[in-house]
Amino acid sequence: MDYSEATERISRKFKKSGNEIDREKVEGKLRRLIEEFGVQPAEAERSVSNELTKEFNIQPAGPQGSPGAGGATGEKVIADARPGDWVTLVGKVVSLAAPASPAIAQSGILADESGAIRFVVWTKSNAPKMKEGTWYRIESAVVDEYKNIPNLKVHSGTTITEIDKTDPLIPAPSPVKELRPGIGSVRAKVIQEWDATHDRMLQSGLLGDETGTVKFVIWKEQGKEKLAVGSVYSIFYAQVDEFNERLSLNITSATIMQEDGDIATATGGDVVVRGAIVHIAPGSGIIKRCPVEGCNRALSRQNYCPIHEIQPKFVYDLRIKGWLDDGEKTHNLLLKRDVVEALTGINLDQAKEIAENNPLGMDEVFLQMREKVLGRYVACKGREIENRLLVNTCERMHFESGEHAKLLNRAGGVP
Amino acid sequence: MSSTAPDMGRRDGSFEREPARRVFASELRECRYQFKVGEDEKSPTFVLLPTGERSNRIFVSGTLTEKTRQGEQNIFYRGRVIDPTGTFFIMAGSYQPEAMQQLAKIETPAFVAVTGKPNLYQKPDGSFLVSVRVEAITVVDKETRDLWVLDTAAHTLDRLDALATGTSPDIVKAKEQYPTLDPAVYRKIVYDALAQIKM
């Protein structure tokens, strides 16, 4: 299909206000909406055009006439709602979440063409129940902030009216790098799945596109399914949380569509760190893992899993946790079984043998491995995530006479 | 294992472990200035290296030539680790039980790798001593020792280069605290250290 005509129309429209569009980008967006998301061409054109309007910061010439009147409860588009505002919004309920407390009647996400916002309906407000997928006019609600994220509060003074509108809303996914706390949509690939750290957690891991990576989490709720590692998804209206200046995507109540095909992801590139291993942490060596499917947590000495309690039928594994120091910075290391085996020369069977027959048991494996690794110069290659280097290969460094000669010259040369 | 060193206490996300600096014995011996960052009892202490960098921790490799057990109630071990330029004085006491046991087990002489914290003391006669409180010590091979000499040479040269033109607070402070410092002397130390490694 040819998108140049639609692009030309959009270009002319923006020229009037003195803006130059990036044709290639616009065509690409149109193509994606139409070919990948099955959006009607006219709707796609409108959607792209709206996005540009926002980008160029032009006041939309809507039928409502004078926008930005800015009255106390002025009608606003969602993107303009700021904490502290009393607002009237027209939007579509794109998702509903299980209320976290009896004081809350409903919570979810309200969206319009400009953006999306979380909302909370207090039980005390006696508001009518809203339905997912329906448009509403919400008059005199308050925007506040909850955990740094704007939040729309429906209270007893708020009027909610259902409106007859069936416009489909297609949010434009943003690059992962451009996510901001609030509500966001992305098209990204599941790069990694991590051990669940909480009983109520269904899945957590890492999502990425070509611009970056972000942690994601899905909490256990009825009908929620895990994402498949290696698959690409369009995720609409996910909650973007910020913790310790790191973003995380809560996609429990997001609209998730699996997609065909593959996308490039910013691997962050494999990093190589050379230095000395200056500390081997407790919990290294041979460990026991919970055998429950999908759990895989490390068990305590008494074979106790924090979730599944006593597990006598544990599975043995090897790992090394420690610090690699290059003299300028210290990197937290995590070596998996195959890396540990290659570096220490002790394989899982040998480690098991030691653990079961030596009077010191598992401690003996720890000690033997520490003897072989601590204080050694290594080059570790892997991915750095959340300040931890997940190591794919770790090799002992060797003396290079070329390096030696270079340093001698440097030290002997006149500065 | 119950060897959770106090510095392992991680405050969510904000924690960054102090790197272990690479420094030759003859430079460490010249430290005369020690300072603390923060008021807390547990705030880190740094010695200021003459070449212009603070150091809360060092990593050294050399030959453990002797170790002695001292103390009656509070047993602790002292040791001497030799590098191509001089001697590191190391110690491990009952506050570092793991390190002390490791040190106690090692038969001298042996190539060792040591991670530890440098501390500056003034002896009753007015002279200074920099001693290294061991966090970890292991027996290593000669290649590791040689790699350490290269590594330490490179880092020392980097510091000397920075000292010539840099304006970091540590460099400014070093020039103030060590006014007689001659970079050429340290360059010579590096050269001699490298020259001692046989090809």
Side-chain angles (χ1 to χ4, degrees):
Chain A
M1 191 169 163
D2 185 21
Y3 302 99
S4 57
E5 222 173 276
T7 307
E8 179 57 34
R9 272 197 299 278
I10 295 174
S11 166
R12 271 204 306 271
K13 183 171 156 195
F14 285 96
K15 252 197 193 115
K16 274 188 232 158
S17 52
N19 291 297
E20 204 55 59
I21 64 162
D22 179 343
R23 280 167 179 272
E24 217 168 291
K25 217 164 127 190
V26 166
E27 271 196 47
K29 277 183 183 163
L30 287 170
R31 179 174 301 118
R32 252 181 93 195
L33 284 170
I34 294 167
E35 291 177 11
E36 289 176 36
F37 292 90
V39 177
Q40 293 297 315
E43 179 60 26
E45 195 177 324
R46 201 187 62 90
S47 162
V48 169
S49 171
N50 271 346
E51 201 185 321
L52 287 165
T53 308
K54 236 183 87 192
E55 213 177 291
F56 292 130
N57 217 353
I58 305 168
Q59 294 290 357
Q64 274 3 27
S66 54
T73 61
E75 188 166 323
K76 286 195 167 160
V77 293
I78 289 174
D80 292 340
R82 299 275 173 271
D85 288 354
W86 282 70
V87 291
T88 294
L89 298 173
V90 173
K92 180 182 177 180
V93 175
V94 293
S95 90
L96 286 170
S101 130
I104 295 172
Q106 271 191 315
S107 73
I109 293 162
L110 188 78
D112 67 8
E113 287 82 358
S114 74
I117 189 168
R118 250 176 61 98
F119 70 85
V120 167
V121 182
W122 296 106
T123 309
K124 279 196 294 187
S125 71
N126 282 325
K129 286 261 181 209
M130 293 189 277
K131 291 190 294 280
E132 196 170 323
T134 307
W135 286 80
Y136 294 93
R137 178 181 165 86
I138 299 177
E139 214 168 320
S140 300
V142 182
V143 183
D144 69 359
E145 237 176 4
Y146 179 67
K147 290 184 180 163
N148 281 333
I149 296 175
N151 194 29
L152 185 73
K153 277 193 173 165
V154 172
H155 50 87
S156 51
T158 308
T159 321
I160 300 180
T161 21
E162 187 174 329
I163 53 175
D164 185 21
K165 197 172 170 184
T166 50
D167 300 22
L169 264 183
I170 307 287
S174 69
V176 165
K177 201 178 69 184
E178 286 170 22
L179 285 173
R180 295 287 171 269
I183 304 294
S185 303
V186 295
R187 180 167 178 272
K189 179 170 159 182
V190 182
I191 301 175
Q192 280 183 0
E193 187 175 13
W194 298 340
D195 291 355
T197 51
H198 195 285
D199 202 8
R200 284 186 46 238
M201 194 182 276
L202 179 67
Q203 191 183 27
S204 76
L206 200 70
L207 282 169
D209 66 7
E210 62 278 6
T211 68
T213 57
V214 65
K215 178 186 159 181
F216 78 93
V217 57
I218 308 175
W219 297 97
K220 281 184 186 159
E221 262 181 36
Q222 190 131 36
K224 296 296 162 202
E225 282 176 27
K226 287 188 177 184
L227 305 186
V229 177
S231 294
V232 177
Y233 293 89
S234 278
I235 297 166
F236 297 131
Y237 306 123
Q239 186 172 320
V240 190
D241 295 316
E242 189 175 19
F243 180 68
N244 274 339
E245 292 173 24
R246 239 182 269 282
L247 295 182
S248 131
L249 220 50
N250 177 351
I251 62 174
T252 311
S253 49
T255 306
I256 301 169
M257 289 178 355
Q258 182 160 8
E259 301 208 4
D260 296 332
D262 201 357
I263 56 171
T265 52
T267 53
D270 268 6
V271 288
V272 180
V273 185
R274 290 183 181 79
I277 296 180
V278 294
H279 178 76
I280 301 294
S284 299
I286 191 165
I287 57 163
K288 298 168 178 173
R289 292 197 182 274
C290 178
V292 174
E293 171 125 13
C295 175
N296 215 29
R297 283 179 184 76
L299 303 179
S300 77
R301 308 221 119 190
Q302 290 74 34
N303 302 335
Y304 187 86
C305 168
I307 307 299
H308 304 101
E309 313 210 329
I310 300 290
Q311 293 290 334
K313 293 204 165 115
F314 53 80
V315 190
Y316 276 122
D317 195 9
L318 299 176
R319 73 171 175 197
I320 287 181
K321 300 196 290 180
W323 293 98
L324 180 67
D325 192 310
D326 65 10
E328 307 296 329
K329 192 177 182 313
T330 314
H331 303 260
N332 194 338
L333 290 183
L334 182 60
L335 314 189
K336 299 173 299 186
R337 176 179 149 195
D338 54 330
V339 183
V340 172
E341 288 179 334
L343 185 67
T344 62
I346 300 174
N347 66 31
L348 183 60
D349 287 336
Q350 292 164 325
K352 244 192 265 183
E353 165 78 22
I354 299 167
E356 283 167 2
N357 298 321
N358 190 287
L360 280 179
M362 291 164 72
D363 284 354
E364 180 62 24
V365 178
F366 175 91
L367 293 172
Q368 286 192 18
M369 287 192 172
R370 188 174 66 181
E371 283 301 306
K372 288 182 192 296
V373 172
L374 187 61
R376 304 319 198 275
Y377 277 94
V378 293
C380 282
K381 200 164 149 194
R383 298 164 48 83
E384 196 141 42
I385 290 162
E386 312 243 314
N387 279 335
R388 170 172 281 185
L389 190 66
L390 305 174
V391 179
N392 293 325
T393 61
C394 181
E395 282 166 5
R396 291 281 294 274
M397 278 168 63
H398 294 289
F399 186 84
E400 282 173 40
S401 42
E403 186 65 21
H404 185 210
K406 226 161 72 188
L407 284 164
L408 272 169
N409 280 337
R410 206 180 143 195
V414 182
Chain B
M1 295 289 102
S2 57
S3 69
T4 315
D7 56 306
M8 294 294 292
R10 243 186 295 169
R11 281 153 283 162
D12 282 334
S14 63
F15 172 74
E16 219 171 284
R17 183 180 155 110
E18 287 293 338
R21 301 296 180 191
R22 313 294 201 259
V23 54
F24 285 120
S26 57
E27 180 180 354
L28 190 71
R29 186 182 61 202
E30 297 301 319
C31 288
R32 292 291 175 274
Y33 181 67
Q34 179 166 266
F35 63 101
K36 219 171 170 174
V37 171
E39 299 295 311
D40 221 13
E41 194 192 332
K42 290 196 172 155
S43 304
T45 303
F46 296 86
V47 297
L48 183 65
L49 303 179
T51 47
E53 191 154 46
R54 66 184 64 194
S55 168
N56 164 263
R57 174 178 279 129
I58 60 172
F59 173 71
V60 307
S61 182
T63 313
L64 181 73
T65 53
E66 57 175 87
K67 60 166 191 200
T68 42
R69 193 183 129 151
Q70 290 186 337
E72 288 300 323
Q73 259 105 38
N74 290 314
I75 299 168
F76 67 99
Y77 274 82
R78 283 189 190 287
R80 295 166 73 96
V81 175
I82 313 296
D83 81 355
T85 73
T87 306
F88 292 101
F89 301 94
I90 64 169
M91 59 141 331
S94 47
Y95 288 110
Q96 300 89 35
E98 283 271 318
M100 190 171 81
Q101 285 161 28
Q102 284 172 295
L103 178 54
K105 268 199 320 213
I106 298 173
E107 298 274 338
T108 57
F111 284 121
V112 293
V114 179
T115 309
K117 304 226 168 196
N119 279 292
L120 179 63
Y121 300 102
Q122 190 163 21
K123 293 194 275 193
D125 66 0
S127 63
F128 287 90
L129 173 74
V130 182
S131 134
V132 180
R133 189 156 40 77
V134 179
E135 293 178 299
I137 179 167
T138 32
V139 174
V140 297
D141 52 7
K142 179 173 178 298
E143 187 172 38
T144 300
R145 199 285 308 259
D146 290 350
L147 283 168
W148 177 81
V149 174
L150 296 194
D151 190 20
T152 305
H155 274 101
T156 307
L157 291 171
D158 287 348
R159 288 199 298 271
L160 288 170
D161 288 349
L163 189 67
T165 53
T167 53
S168 79
D170 287 357
I171 288 174
V172 172
K173 195 81 194 163
K175 286 181 173 163
E176 185 186 313
Q177 292 292 327
Y178 309 107
T180 57
L181 177 124
D182 180 1
V185 170
Y186 284 95
R187 215 165 264 278
K188 177 90 174 28
I189 288 171
V190 171
Y191 186 88
D192 290 347
L194 287 167
Q196 281 191 42
I197 301 181
K198 290 186 193 74
M199 306 289 270

